[in-house]
Structure formats: structure tokens, C-alpha cells
Amino acid sequence: MSTFTQLSPSRKRLLGALLAVAIVGVGSIGVGGAVADETAPRAAVDLGEAGTFAVLSKSGITDVYASTVSGNVGSSPITGAAIHLTCPEVLTGTIYSVDAAGPSCKVTDDTYLTTAVSDLELAYTDAAGRTTPDFINLGAGEIGGLTLTPGLYKWGTDVNISTDVTLTGSSTDVFIFQISKDLQQASAQNVILAGDAQAKNVFWQVAGSVAIGTTAHFEGTILSQTMIAMKTGASINGRLLAQTAVTLQSNTVTAPVE
């Protein structure tokens, strides 16, 4: 039996989509220019098993007590000793570790974590590889104060949220943000969903680091190639999926309702 045949249907769809992106070629996108339309409506990013996690990282999760997490938590391939959340802080869901180290309530499941991290990386590649952006370098990277409609957004710069930003759409509309550098949200500012927009359909693909400011509120799934840092009292209705570390400081993390 081939490796492709053994994959789940969702993984087959994702790998097929990535192959299509490779055939089309991202080189056809010109800065500020329009290209052929992608099939509408845009598909959500397939998170696979990574979508079962509220917090997932490859190199550990630090925490300043007390945070509250609703959803699964895990880190791999690093040892469970790098997961610093305590059992009472995870209100719902399971803490997964690759070994016997970690919080006392953890479940050791190296195989499951390996799959989830692999799916995290596939999801990042999927989001980064989407073509035909609706907006390129919007606001020169400053999106604070804007109301954004569904679509694919692409920046070759940092992205800053210095004041509230609103995402408005229907319950099935998809937002994908491709950010080639860092994402920074100022303290006490908010990402706001309007209309029937759903956090489960919002994806932030960030090649650099992510910093969510003190007491700020964020919406959507963050797929970061490096660190995600939540500052004191910040909250997110979404997921923190990092290919390095996640740092928490008395935060509230709530996985979106599917």
C-alpha cells in the first residue's frame, strides 16, 4: 500500500492542494498586481490533529501563573518538562507529553504529538502557499483601525495592530493572513469579530514572531514559524500553534468552537 493511500481523507485533500499551489507557482504574484482568481469561496486551512489543541509547540510552553486554557495542550519533540502549565490551569482538554515528564495530569502519547506537530507544519505550509491575494501590503503593515472583509491578505513587512481591528463576515467566510515578518498587537487593543465571522475560520500565518500585548484580545488561529508570546492578561479565542515556544503570562486561551 502506498504512503498516500494510507493518509486520511483530510490529509489527501491538503497534500493535493499543496501540489496545486506548486504547479501554479507563487512567482506569478506581482506586488500590488492582480492575478487569476482562486476558486471561491476560499477554503479554511486544514489543521488536522493540530486543530484539537489550544496550545501546541515544538520547544516548550512557559507560564506565569495563573493562566486558563480551554482545549488540549502539548509540546513535541521537547520533553514534557518544558510544559510549565499546571493541571488546574487547563480547564478542559488534556495536557500531552512525549515522555513521563511534565504536569502530573499529563497523558504520555508521543505518537499523537508527532502527528499533531506534523499537521501543524503542513497547515503552516498550506496557509503560506495560498496564492492570488486579495490585498498585498495593506496599510504598509499597520491594520489598526481598519475593518477587514474575508479574503487572503499578504505582507512582506511586519504587521502591527496599534488600535482595534475588526474582521467582518458570515459564519462561513475565511480570513487568511500571510505575514513574512513579525506580528505585534499593542496593549489593551482588540481583534474584533463582526457580523457572523467565526474565530475557527481566521488564520494568521506568521514567519517571524508574534507578540500579543498586555490585556489585548485576539481572535483566530496563529500559525507561527517561531515564538508566540502572550503578554500579561492577554486573551485569545483561537489557537497558539508555534514551531518554537509559546510563552504565557496569566492569559486566557480558548480554542474556538468548531
Side-chain angles (χ1 to χ4, degrees), residues 202-219:
V202 179
F203 304 91
W204 304 80
Q205 173 263 314
V206 185
S209 62
V210 178
I212 307 302
T214 301
T215 71
H217 179 72
F218 199 84
E219 295 276 349

Side-chain angles (χ1 to χ4, degrees), residues 15-27 129 131:
L15 290 174
L18 293 176
L19 178 60
V21 168
I23 293 171
V24 170
V26 297
T131 61

Side-chain angles (χ1 to χ4, degrees), residues 36-123:
D37 287 339
E38 196 174 55
T39 303
R42 294 187 186 277
V45 176
D46 185 354
L47 299 175
E49 294 301 328
T52 68
F53 285 81
V55 184
L56 179 64
S57 82
K58 294 176 68 174
S59 58
I61 302 163
T62 65
D63 176 56
V64 175
Y65 188 85
S67 295
T68 59
V69 179
S70 298
N72 291 341
V73 171
S75 195
S76 173
I78 198 165
T79 173
I83 301 173
H84 294 167
L85 279 162
T86 63
C87 299
E89 291 176 283
V90 181
L91 303 183
T92 62
T94 301
I95 300 176
Y96 288 96
S97 172
V98 300
D99 57 19
S104 60
C105 61
K106 55 86 182 45
V107 170
T108 303
D109 196 333
D110 182 33
T111 300
Y112 183 54
L113 280 168
T114 298
T115 299
V117 168
S118 176
D119 286 352
L120 181 163
E121 293 169 337
L122 279 171

Side-chain angles (χ1 to χ4, degrees), residues 5-23:
T5 303
Q6 294 174 322
L7 294 174
S8 67
S10 64
R11 295 291 92 187
K12 290 178 182 178
R13 289 194 298 272
L14 176 54
L15 290 174
L18 293 176
L19 178 60
V21 168
I23 293 171

